[in-house]
Amino acid sequence: MPIEFAKYHGLGNDFILIDNRHSSEPVITPEQAVDLCDRHFGIGADGVIFALPGQNGTDYTMRIFNSDGSEPEMCGNGIRCLAKFIADLESKEIDPPQPPLAKGGSESNTEYRIHTGAGVIITELRSDGQVKVDMGVPRLLAAEIPTTLAAADAKAIDVPIEVADKSWSVTCVSMGNPHCITFVEDVSAVALETVGPQFEHNKAFPQRTNTEFIQVIRSDYVKMRVWERGAGVTLACGTGACAAVVAGVLVGKCDRATAVELPGGVLEIEWAEVSGRIYMTGPAQRVFTGCISD
Ligand code: ZDP
């Protein structure tokens, strides 16, 4: 059976979105996701995201396969795209075979409660087209990341690690998925394709890790480059931007409200002091719709 899809991106972190509201199991296998994400032999994407029925009182469930077929718990840029996709589906704006519209998303403020592998995440579509996401509370204990860089019930903040014949000082944060953050003088000088995979597969990270390099421009503005677990170099990473600001606050380099500039654009991150919750605000854009033939 042909499967309808829509392609969205958040700051160039791009996803194939599938309307999976009729079934609680993804209609595409991880192996098919690998083929669909291929930029030469497929549609091309950093991952495939499914809008599934809600559970435990939530409106929807999100699942995602990375471009290597692995399944992360959460995806920050992806959930903004999912919120726009759901609004577009609910408003029938992308109900094929209507021609694609230039305008994307809904005009009203709409909130969705979305069940994910990292708990319930709440998205808000703002009238200015941005999507604000309540990303929940970051987890810092080594066992929660998971990492062996600190004792299981301790935090890995500013700890040494040997990677690619070099000693680095890193801070580990879980946004549901694992992140390893390093502050550097100059992000453009980091050999991401070389060191990224060596962090990802380092034995200190039993579930592998996403790896972020951060250059502090001001205490409220940083530049970031990311090597994603299961996807490699991407133009942006929402959970990574949140984790970077948490790490920056923990090591005294960032304000609680900090803008993160990624190769694909800027995300506004805020780590609320009282609730401990993280809010991420950024764009999500539909680029086309299509149909996967048999
Ligand atoms: O944790 C992982 O395996 C990531 N590759 C998931 C995707 C993260 C994402 N880039 C984000 O924005 O949080 C979608």
Side-chain angles (χ1 to χ4, degrees):
M1 243 223 341
I3 297 171
E4 309 286 347
F5 71 91
K7 180 85 193 289
Y8 286 70
H9 77 91
L11 300 178
N13 193 193
D14 57 343
F15 303 99
I16 299 161
L17 278 291
I18 308 277
D19 180 5
N20 213 117
R21 290 176 297 173
H22 54 283
S23 157
S24 55
E25 276 309 310
V27 293
I28 282 173
T29 65
E31 294 73 28
Q32 288 172 314
V34 173
D35 293 341
L36 295 175
C37 288
D38 189 289
R39 294 191 183 278
H40 301 287
F41 295 92
I43 299 161
D46 292 324
V48 181
I49 294 178
F50 304 88
L52 303 131
Q55 39 188 304
N56 309 327
T58 57
D59 301 314
Y60 294 95
T61 297
M62 173 174 82
R63 284 184 61 186
I64 164 173
F65 296 141
N66 283 320
S67 52
D68 75 348
S70 60
E71 180 169 8
E73 305 78 355
M74 215 338 239
C75 170
N77 286 321
I79 205 161
R80 293 200 315 278
C81 294
L82 179 75
K84 274 264 169 83
F85 177 58
I86 291 167
D88 289 347
L89 286 174
E90 286 183 347
S91 67
K92 299 258 188 295
E93 197 170 302
I94 54 168
D95 205 0
Q98 286 175 14
L101 301 173
K103 172 182 142 294
S106 137
E107 294 294 342
S108 62
N109 286 346
T110 317
E111 232 177 66
Y112 299 118
R113 291 171 55 78
I114 300 173
H115 180 94
T116 76
V120 178
I121 304 288
I122 300 162
T123 61
E124 177 196 345
L125 296 178
R126 296 194 335 190
S127 51
D128 62 1
Q130 298 272 101
V131 185
K132 182 172 182 180
V133 185
D134 175 347
M135 300 281 285
V137 177
R139 278 152 261 191
L140 300 174
L141 301 184
E144 299 175 304
I145 309 280
T147 180
T148 57
L149 290 176
D153 57 352
K155 299 170 185 170
I157 300 175
D158 223 351
V159 294
I161 184 174
E162 194 78 24
V163 176
D165 298 323
K166 206 179 145 198
S167 180
W168 308 75
S169 180
V170 300
T171 296
C172 300
V173 176
S174 169
M175 291 302 306
N177 54 353
H179 295 273
C180 174
I181 294 104
T182 306
F183 290 89
V184 294
E185 287 290 309
D186 178 5
V187 272
S188 65
V190 176
L192 212 47
E193 286 85 355
T194 318
V195 295
Q198 299 194 46
F199 272 95
E200 178 183 359
H201 297 281
N202 191 281
K203 61 179 182 342
F205 303 106
Q207 301 289 328
R208 304 190 285 154
T209 191
N210 297 288
T211 305
E212 287 86 16
F213 297 93
I214 312 296
Q215 177 181 351
V216 178
I217 307 294
R218 294 190 313 266
S219 63
D220 65 350
Y221 195 95
V222 301
K223 276 190 183 179
M224 165 173 145
R225 288 175 71 210
V226 55
W227 175 270
E228 279 190 38
R229 175 181 69 170
V233 175
T234 60
L235 296 181
C237 177
T239 50
C242 294
V245 172
V246 170
V249 170
L250 292 173
V251 300
K253 290 185 192 291
C254 291
D255 298 347
R256 285 187 165 264
T258 290
V260 180
E261 182 189 315
L262 300 127
V266 177
L267 287 174
E268 303 287 341
I269 309 295
E270 185 171 359
W271 190 15
E273 189 142 20
V274 176
S275 67
R277 305 184 81 82
I278 303 206
Y279 297 90
M280 170 192 68
T281 306
Q285 180 74 45
R286 184 175 79 242
V287 280
F288 60 88
T289 58
C291 185
I292 302 160
S293 49
D294 291 322

